[in-house]
Each structure stands twice: as structure tokens, then as C-alpha cells.
Amino acid sequence: MCSAMVLNKYTYAHKSDFPVVRVPVASRRFHSQAVEGAIAEFKLKVKDTELTWLFENCFPNTLDTTVFYDTLNGRPDTYVITGDIDAMWLRDSCAQVWPYLTFAAKDEKLRSMIAGVINRQTGCILKDPYANAFYKNEQQVSEWKDDKTDMLPGVHERKWEIDSLCYPIRLAYNYWKITGDTKSFDEKWKGAVSSILKVFKDQQRKTDNGPYHFQRETVKPTDSLPMNGYGFPIKPTGLICSMFRPSDDATIYPFLIPSNFFAALSLRQAAEMVTVMFKDNLLAQKLKALATEVENALRKHAVVKHPVYGNIYAYEVDGFGNYNMMDDANVPGLLSMPYLGLVKHDDAVYVNTRKFVLSGSNPFFYKGKAGEGVGGPHVGAANMIWPLSIICRGLTSTNDAEIKQCIKMLKNSHAQKGFMHESFDKDNPANFTRSWFAWANTLFGEFIWKVYQEKPNLLSV
């Protein structure tokens, strides 16, 4: 027995075990013909009913529920919320629309929506390059308005994270490469790049702590910074301080290694863009010089010797010789570095690091009845696996058996809800956090679509 829903020329059938949970057509925030075509193709070719159901629910979830597309001063303008939080994270919004880039060249409406994300992010960075999340308008008052930092109207949260400025460059660079469209890249955008460069250089903290400080009155120590809001001390090395991780949790040692790898790549991508589009060789030289400095510092400080796994990448260091051996489920993390193009899959140190991350030596690796994966301190409880980590494990794997294992674990994790969650208990997927977390949903779709394109035999029941 099955029910059916008709959407334009596509018909979707669901067995009674997999009821329709995708929002109704009339309630969807954005429609992409190209994405709907991909869903229809996947459902036609893949015989695993549960997997096709999950793909249909998850892959368009960002478009269905989180995109607010409009025009502002004659230009596309797109505000993207994370799901159950009405705020636009620079990181999350980039990651949420990223999987749709591959379809943007053949879908003008989708292309315009992504251009709108780039345009809005440019404005956000120009407003406050240290903020990680923003509101659609300046009238909305943040629940964090009393944080002890330089809060501005329209800012939701002001946690300084390197990746918050890397993700917009990643999206802009690849949007340009895929579509050839340069209309979003005007003097304001170049100004945002200059602002990013200044923040990165200031946060090398060669002479002082720089202008950024942050404290919050909270019972969660990971939500505030010690030492009068400047974080624990560092010895300047050429690396860039990130006072918070991609999880929005405070770093212990401020030189966050995966994010510094991300910064080096982003600086080189930005340099290429300003050279080609603006012929600004001086700015490009400054961007490349900083990238080189960070890369050289990573060679000196990023690798530590583990007693079991040999040379691995540390998660955090401080320049004094102290380091933190762990990984967190959020992206960028150590596990996800090849996914972002930060290291090669067969990089010898990464291979060792991957073994460490997916072992009991990583304090945030959990293994239970429902699956295994990486968590982190963000949800405040142990034994909570993040589907993001399982997805990234699959995206960075070259082993067919491991990829199939990741798919199986993700199918086991949704607790009959039809969507990915922020985290789930290693022994009981029904114990989960965040029922509406668009980044995890869309990234799941990206992973499954990649497997479908490259190794469809792994999707068999």
C-alpha cells in the first residue's frame, strides 16, 4: 500500500513505512527544477526505498525550509537560516547551499539564489568580520545582546571562528568556477576580502591580542573565553588564532589546525579572484604572502607524534609546544580535511590522523549499538554521535566497504523521522538533538548523490 504526491511532472511514491514528511509544495520556500530532476532520477534508478525516501527528504531540505530569497537594490539577496534557529551563520549558509552548486549552471533561478547568498554574506562581513551569525534585519534583537564584546545591530552572535570567513570564499570561488558569473564580485566584495585579510593578520597576534574579545555569562565554559575574553595565551608562530571552533565551542589552544589549513587555501583562492577580476596584484600578493606564512607555520607546528598512530595532525596548538589531540564532528575538522581540499586523501600524516580520529584514542569518538562516529562537547553530553562525522567519513573514504558502512549507519540514525539530526545517542537514535538541522540534511544528500554518481553499486539494498 502506498501514497503518492505529484509535483509538476514528477511523481513520488512512498510505501506506508515511509510516509510523506517533506513539507507540502505550497509551503516550500524555494523550488529548483534541477534539484527536483535529480531527486526524480535518483528515485527511479535506486531501488533502496528507505534510502530514496531519505534522499528526497534531506537533499532539498535547505531549499524547502531555510531559504528566504529576494532582491535588494536590484541584486539577488538570500537569507539562509540553519533550521530551528532564525539566524544566518556564515559557515552553515555556505555549507547548506554548497551541494546545489553542481546544478547551478543549468538552473538560472538556483544560480541567482546562490548569488544572493554571496551578496548577503559580503554585507555581513563588511558589517562585522568577527561575527559568526547574523539576522535578516537590524531590528531583530539577539538573545546574546549582553555578551561582553562589541555587538552591533543585526548580529546574532559574535564568536570569532576562522572558518566563518573561509566558507564565503570557498562558495564564491567555486560559484565563479562553475557558473562563470562575476556580477556578485564588485568593489564591496573586494572590500570584504580586504577585511578578511586584516582580521587574519590581526589574529596572528604577533604584537598584541588584537581588537577581538568575548565573554558570556553562562554555565557552559565552552561558550565563553578566559583571560579577560582573549582566550588562553599563544606564542606567535605565523598561525592564525581562532577563538572558537566550527562547533561554536571555545578553543583550548587558539591555533586551530584544520581551520588554519582552510585559511591558507581560502587566501590563495581569494588571491586568484582579485587578480583575474580586479587586476589588483598588490592585494593578491598580500593574500598569497599570508597563505605562504600560514603554510610554513603549519609545517612546523601542526604535526605531533602519537604513541600509537605516529605522526598525526594536532587539533589545536598554542606555539609553546602544547597541543590538543582530539577531533570534533564539525567541519572543518581533522577527518573532513580532504573533503574541503585541504590535504590529499593519501597524505601520510592524514592517513595516520584518520586512524586516530576513528579510534578510542580520540576522546570524542563513540561506538555503540546504533553506530560509530565522532561527537564533541557542543551538545553537553557524552556518547552523542554527529551524523556530520559519519557523512564526512563517507565523503573522504576511498574504501567501498567503509562507504557502505557509513550509508548503513546513517540509515539507522534517523529514528524513523526521515531526516538527519545534529547528534544521536550511540545506542539509541531516538535520543537525538535538533529535529531540524538543514546542514546535516543537505550534506547527507551531497554524500548520497556523490555515491550515486561515482559508485551506484554501493547503493543497493
Side-chain angles (χ1 to χ4, degrees):
M1 183 175 181
C2 65
S3 59
M5 173 179 69
V6 178
L7 175 58
N8 294 338
K9 64 181 180 179
Y10 306 117
T11 300
Y12 302 99
H14 301 267
K15 292 182 178 179
S16 57
D17 287 342
F18 306 113
V20 176
V21 292
R22 189 180 175 189
V23 296
V25 176
S27 299
R28 294 174 193 168
R29 300 220 54 88
F30 190 88
H31 172 84
S32 165
Q33 192 72 20
V35 171
E36 296 302 331
I39 294 169
E41 177 185 336
F42 188 87
K43 290 177 66 65
L44 180 65
K45 298 291 182 63
V46 177
K47 304 307 179 185
D48 184 330
T49 306
E50 182 177 12
L51 191 60
T52 58
W53 177 64
L54 286 171
F55 183 75
E56 180 184 0
N57 298 336
C58 293
F59 189 48
N61 188 245
T62 286
L63 301 179
D64 286 353
T65 66
T66 69
V67 166
F68 294 77
Y69 173 68
D70 205 342
T71 57
L72 182 64
N73 300 323
R75 289 159 58 87
D77 177 68
T78 310
Y79 177 71
V80 183
I81 63 175
T82 68
D84 52 14
I85 304 174
D86 181 12
M88 179 167 167
W89 267 255
L90 293 178
R91 170 189 55 254
D92 293 44
S93 58
C94 287
Q96 286 167 240
V97 302
W98 170 267
Y100 306 131
L101 272 180
T102 187
F103 304 100
K106 59 183 178 181
D107 188 328
E108 183 176 353
K109 184 180 176 184
L110 184 65
R111 186 163 64 250
S112 182
M113 184 276 289
I114 297 173
V117 176
I118 295 170
N119 293 339
R120 176 161 281 270
Q121 288 172 342
T122 296
C124 291
I125 293 167
L126 290 173
K127 175 189 286 291
D128 185 357
Y130 282 104
N132 56 324
F134 299 80
Y135 290 122
K136 189 175 185 181
N137 59 67
E138 295 188 349
Q139 287 68 49
Q140 194 163 345
V141 178
S142 173
E143 64 181 299
W144 310 121
K145 61 182 175 60
D146 295 325
D147 285 347
K148 295 175 177 61
T149 188
D150 301 325
M151 288 288 285
L152 293 173
V155 170
H156 169 71
E157 191 173 51
R158 197 171 189 261
K159 290 180 172 178
W160 160 235
E161 304 161 2
I162 290 176
D163 67 282
S164 291
L165 298 183
C166 296
Y167 269 102
I169 294 175
R170 178 186 187 234
L171 181 67
Y173 180 82
N174 286 278
Y175 174 84
W176 168 51
K177 289 293 187 179
I178 290 171
T179 69
D181 179 23
T182 61
K183 291 190 289 293
S184 291
F185 308 119
D186 55 10
E187 288 296 326
K188 286 186 176 180
W189 182 84
K190 191 175 80 162
V193 170
S194 295
S195 182
I196 291 170
L197 176 63
K198 183 180 187 309
V199 168
F200 281 177
K201 290 181 72 68
D202 286 347
Q203 289 306 311
Q204 288 180 297
R205 298 192 177 185
K206 291 181 177 179
T207 58
D208 55 40
N209 285 331
Y212 177 78
H213 57 91
F214 182 96
Q215 288 176 297
R216 175 177 293 173
E217 293 184 4
T218 176
V219 297
K220 293 179 63 177
T222 54
D223 264 355
S224 189
L225 296 177
M227 308 296 290
N228 293 318
Y230 290 98
F232 289 121
I234 57 94
K235 181 179 181 181
T237 61
L239 295 172
I240 304 164
C241 290
S242 186
M243 306 321 296
F244 288 87
R245 301 167 179 168
S247 60
D248 301 334
D249 294 334
T251 50
I252 297 173
Y253 301 127
F255 294 138
L256 183 58
I257 295 302
S259 291
N260 271 268
F261 272 100
F262 202 2
L265 175 62
S266 299
L267 287 163
R268 294 204 178 278
Q269 290 175 337
E272 181 182 345
M273 294 179 77
V274 300
T275 299
V276 173
M277 297 179 192
F278 300 94
K279 313 302 180 189
D280 192 336
N281 293 324
L282 179 59
L283 177 56
Q285 287 170 3
K286 291 179 179 178
L287 291 162
K288 288 187 285 188
L290 182 55
T292 298
E293 185 178 6
V294 172
E295 289 161 354
N296 289 337
L298 284 166
R299 292 187 188 98
K300 293 179 181 178
H301 300 281
V303 179
V304 298
K305 190 171 183 62
H306 189 275
V308 176
Y309 298 99
N311 286 339
I312 68 170
Y313 291 115
Y315 187 65
E316 299 166 348
V317 301
D318 65 358
F320 291 104
N322 300 302
Y323 49 83
N324 184 4
M325 284 186 175
M326 59 163 280
D327 197 19
D328 187 279
N330 279 264
V331 184
L334 296 174
L335 182 64
S336 62
M337 287 202 295
Y339 164 67
L340 294 172
L342 310 183
V343 297
K344 300 291 186 183
H345 289 83
D346 58 355
D347 173 276
V349 179
Y350 173 75
V351 171
N352 291 343
T353 305
R354 184 184 182 90
K355 293 175 183 176
F356 159 77
V357 169
L358 300 173
S359 78
S361 295
N362 173 12
F364 296 104
F365 177 77
Y366 305 117
K367 186 172 184 178
K369 298 176 183 177
E372 62 181 42
V374 182
H378 186 69
V379 298
N383 300 317
M384 299 296 286
I385 298 169
W386 287 54
L388 279 180
S389 76
I390 301 174
I391 296 166
C392 285
R393 181 179 180 178
L395 283 167
T396 56
S397 178
T398 58
N399 181 284
D400 288 358
E402 185 177 34
I403 294 170
K404 289 198 72 167
Q405 179 193 11
C406 290
I407 295 171
K408 181 179 179 181
M409 288 190 292
L410 291 165
K411 286 171 62 178
N412 289 340
S413 77
H414 64 88
Q416 289 73 55
K417 302 297 183 182
F419 293 101
M420 297 295 107
H421 301 124
E422 178 187 52
S423 68
F424 66 92
D425 187 281
K426 67 182 181 67
D427 294 314
N428 178 19
N431 177 18
F432 61 82
T433 60
R434 296 189 72 176
S435 59
W436 180 19
F437 186 37
W439 181 9
N441 287 326
T442 312
L443 191 69
F444 169 81
E446 178 183 357
F447 169 45
I448 298 301
W449 183 253
K450 180 177 186 287
V451 177
Y452 170 72
Q453 294 286 303
E454 298 175 0
K455 298 183 176 184
N457 59 298
L458 300 184
L459 301 178
S460 59
V461 179

